[in-house]
Amino acid sequence: SNLITTQALDELYPVLLFVMIRAHVPNLYTECYMMGDFLMEDLSHGEEGMIIKTLQGALVHLITYNWHQFFDIEYRVKKTVVN
């Protein structure tokens, strides 16, 4: 059962990122970390905790991703020429 959940979570991670971008939820970062802060201790080690940690990890990924390399054509051309 845990193996199926882990595989499904790994497969759904890109979908989670897409939904987070498209949802335009104001203050998503704050709300996500408040959910983690107010999660009861006995639930934080179970499935609920895993879901919150995945959401927090996705937020960190979105915040720290080097977006200009994705949209900047000059950056991609320079990187291709160097490699």
Side-chain angles (χ1 to χ4, degrees):
S1 176
N2 288 339
L3 180 61
I4 294 171
T5 303
T6 304
Q7 288 176 339
L9 189 59
D10 290 344
E11 293 169 2
L12 291 176
Y13 192 74
V15 176
L16 175 63
L17 292 172
F18 176 78
V19 169
M20 289 171 63
I21 291 170
R22 297 289 296 198
H24 301 289
V25 177
N27 305 317
L28 181 60
Y29 183 86
T30 305
E31 290 181 22
C32 175
Y33 277 90
M34 285 192 65
M35 284 189 289
D37 289 344
F38 289 105
L39 187 65
M40 291 184 283
E41 185 66 31
D42 58 333
L43 296 177
S44 66
H45 298 293
E47 189 174 347
E48 293 85 359
M50 182 179 70
I51 292 169
I52 299 254
K53 291 297 180 187
T54 303
L55 182 61
Q56 290 173 345
L59 279 168
V60 169
H61 178 80
L62 290 174
I63 291 169
T64 60
Y65 186 75
N66 193 0
W67 288 103
H68 79 273
Q69 76 177 7
F70 183 73
F71 292 107
D72 189 5
I73 295 173
E74 289 182 26
Y75 178 84
R76 285 187 280 165
V77 170
K78 287 177 188 175
K79 189 172 182 178
T80 305
V81 171
V82 171
N83 290 335

